Amino acid sequence: MFEFLHKKINETIDITDEQFEYAKTLFVPKQLGKKRLLLERGNTCIYTTFVGKGLLRSFTIDEKGNENILQFAMEGWWVGDLYSFLTDEASEYTIEALEDSQLLLITKPSWDLLLEKVPAFERYFRVLIQNNLIATQRRLMNTMTISAEERYIKLLQDFPDISQRVPQHMIASYIGVTRETLSRLRSQMASG
Amino acid sequence: MFEFLHKKINETIDITDEQFEYAKTLFVPKQLGKKRLLLERGNTCIYTTFVGKGLLRSFTIDEKGNENILQFAMEGWWVGDLYSFLTDEASEYTIEALEDSQLLLITKPSWDLLLEKVPAFERYFRVLIQNNLIATQRRLMNTMTISAEERYIKLLQDFPDISQRVPQHMIASYIGVTRETLSRLRSQMASG
């Protein structure tokens, strides 16, 4: 799993083997079974997490009990509640494994140490967060401006295997429609 | 205006006077009159921009001619289309001054140079982008989960003087409702 992390980091920054060996000492590997929680709302998000294998989702639950999905995180992605992680405040998010997952966890003190000792990681996380911001801005504008059908098509373009890996009602939640609307969209697209 | 930039930078990172003097050489000051454009969609966003004074907005225009506002940027904020700036691709956004504004512009090559010569700026921009991501995620979830009235109240909390500085139809666009709905909300809140 560390090799995969090393490969992903190397796509963005150059670090020496020695620097990576140091970085490795700051991560905690964790196996998380399907349906198990990495974070439950009301708790502080004390880790930011690299997904080595598997799939997770982060979501809120509104007053009516509806789940609203912020993110799906697959192999090679990071997941966490950035605000809670940075401020130590209780999180509004729950993070759940949708498949058996292999994770690398890093606490805030270790993350601070990593940035201090290997400043190239400032660049790595800046680029990571920057790409996340671009994707989130795009999703926000799409939510405001394009139809549910177009949002569904964009989701399939970004995650071609999502229909095989994520239950339909979660996909519906992610694009902001009811399960019935998604089902109708899928029928229309299959017959069109 | 450079003093204001220096102050804002110092809130996040420590840089020497010598480093700031170097940074200054990479920025281009610009005055932009009210209703003038900093970026017009279809063009590449060749600058990222610090707002020293004034107020701008970035927005897209959909097929029906509706404007959809991504961001208002006031004194001390940055504005630009990050994706276009980083990739050199044409932007979907237009950026317009809503007040006479004083700006500091930096091109991508100068920005790269700044990050290379003064690596502390990696941290500065990482923190800046991180805060923007947290705000954008929150707005996305709010768009999906809470009522227009609550979104309007949150906007007033974040920007107490926005009603004095931004036309109502733009505020309506930002929270994703029609002008009529916003007008009704405001009456209800005034009478409630």
Side-chain angles (χ1 to χ4, degrees):
Chain A
M1 189 157 42
F2 278 111
E3 268 176 45
F4 183 43
L5 175 63
H6 199 169
K7 178 175 162 285
K8 294 302 287 184
I9 291 169
N10 271 336
E11 286 173 10
T12 305
I13 56 169
D14 293 320
I15 54 168
T16 64
D17 288 346
E18 196 184 352
Q19 286 171 326
F20 187 71
E21 286 305 314
Y22 173 70
K24 275 171 73 171
T25 66
L26 300 173
F27 283 90
V28 181
K30 184 182 173 83
Q31 308 264 353
L32 192 70
K34 186 174 175 173
K35 297 198 176 175
R36 296 287 300 276
L37 301 185
L38 179 63
L39 171 68
E40 188 164 11
R41 62 178 180 148
N43 295 299
T44 299
C45 180
I46 58 173
Y47 303 106
T48 191
T49 299
F50 177 77
V51 183
K53 193 165 179 300
L55 173 62
L56 298 92
R57 65 166 178 147
S58 62
F59 61 100
T60 60
I61 303 172
D62 65 24
E63 292 156 6
K64 293 170 197 153
N66 296 318
E67 295 176 354
N68 300 287
I69 296 175
L70 176 67
Q71 192 196 353
F72 295 113
M74 308 190 181
E75 303 82 13
W77 294 45
W78 290 76
V79 70
D81 174 2
L82 196 53
Y83 181 75
S84 173
F85 179 72
L86 294 168
T87 61
D88 229 27
E89 287 189 26
S91 179
E92 296 170 17
Y93 290 94
T94 296
I95 303 178
E96 177 196 25
L98 298 178
E99 299 175 356
D100 291 341
S101 298
Q102 292 176 14
L103 311 171
L104 291 173
L105 278 48
I106 185 166
T107 63
K108 180 69 167 46
S110 293
W111 191 66
D112 287 337
L113 206 59
L114 180 64
L115 293 173
E116 185 194 321
K117 300 285 185 195
V118 191
F121 274 99
E122 284 284 359
R123 182 179 182 83
Y124 174 68
F125 285 105
R126 195 255 302 159
V127 171
L128 206 75
I129 292 168
Q130 179 175 288
N131 292 340
N132 194 336
L133 175 60
I134 289 168
T136 305
Q137 285 180 337
R138 202 165 275 173
R139 186 166 159 224
L140 172 67
M141 295 308 276
N142 288 344
T143 299
M144 289 166 60
T145 61
I146 68 174
S147 68
E149 179 174 358
E150 287 170 293
R151 294 204 296 276
Y152 181 56
I153 292 168
K154 278 185 193 285
L155 181 66
L156 296 182
Q157 284 166 352
D158 290 345
F159 310 87
D161 61 351
I162 200 163
S163 280
Q164 285 79 57
R165 297 179 68 181
V166 174
Q168 292 306 311
H169 72 275
M170 293 184 191
I171 294 177
S173 160
Y174 185 84
I175 60 172
V177 298
T178 63
R179 202 188 301 207
E180 293 69 31
T181 303
L182 178 62
S183 172
R184 198 165 56 239
L185 277 180
R186 285 166 53 91
S187 310
Q188 283 166 1
M189 286 168 64
S191 65
Chain B
M1 188 158 41
F2 278 112
E3 269 175 43
F4 184 42
L5 175 64
H6 199 169
K7 180 175 160 283
K8 294 299 289 182
I9 290 169
N10 271 337
E11 288 173 10
T12 306
I13 56 170
D14 293 319
I15 55 169
T16 64
D17 288 346
E18 195 183 353
Q19 287 172 326
F20 187 72
E21 286 305 313
Y22 173 71
K24 275 170 73 171
T25 67
L26 299 173
F27 283 89
V28 181
K30 184 181 173 84
Q31 309 263 353
L32 191 70
K34 185 175 174 173
K35 298 201 177 175
R36 297 285 301 276
L37 302 184
L38 179 64
L39 171 67
E40 187 164 11
R41 63 178 177 146
N43 295 300
T44 299
C45 179
I46 57 172
Y47 303 107
T48 191
T49 299
F50 177 77
V51 184
K53 193 166 180 298
L55 172 62
L56 297 92
R57 64 166 179 149
S58 62
F59 61 100
T60 60
I61 304 172
D62 65 23
E63 291 157 7
K64 293 170 196 153
N66 296 318
E67 295 176 353
N68 300 287
I69 296 174
L70 176 66
Q71 192 196 354
F72 295 113
M74 306 191 181
E75 303 82 12
W77 294 44
W78 290 77
V79 69
D81 173 3
L82 195 54
Y83 181 76
S84 173
F85 179 72
L86 293 168
T87 61
D88 229 27
E89 287 188 27
S91 180
E92 295 170 18
Y93 290 93
T94 297
I95 303 177
E96 178 196 26
L98 297 179
E99 299 175 355
D100 292 341
S101 299
Q102 291 176 15
L103 311 172
L104 292 173
L105 279 48
I106 185 166
T107 63
K108 179 70 165 47
S110 293
W111 192 67
D112 287 338
L113 207 58
L114 181 62
L115 294 173
E116 185 194 320
K117 300 285 185 193
V118 191
F121 275 99
E122 285 285 359
R123 181 179 182 83
Y124 174 69
F125 285 106
R126 196 255 302 158
V127 170
L128 206 75
I129 291 169
Q130 181 175 286
N131 292 340
N132 194 334
L133 175 60
I134 289 168
T136 305
Q137 286 180 337
R138 203 164 273 174
R139 186 166 162 223
L140 172 67
M141 296 308 278
N142 287 345
T143 300
M144 289 165 58
T145 60
I146 67 174
S147 69
E149 180 175 356
E150 288 171 294
R151 294 204 296 276
Y152 181 57
I153 291 169
K154 278 184 192 287
L155 180 66
L156 295 182
Q157 283 166 352
D158 291 345
F159 310 86
D161 62 350
I162 200 164
S163 280
Q164 285 77 57
R165 297 178 69 180
V166 174
Q168 293 305 312
H169 72 276
M170 291 184 193
I171 294 177
S173 160
Y174 185 85
I175 59 172
V177 298
T178 63
R179 203 187 303 202
E180 292 71 30
T181 302
L182 178 62
S183 173
R184 199 165 54 238
L185 277 180
R186 283 165 54 91
S187 311
Q188 283 166 2
M189 286 167 64
S191 66

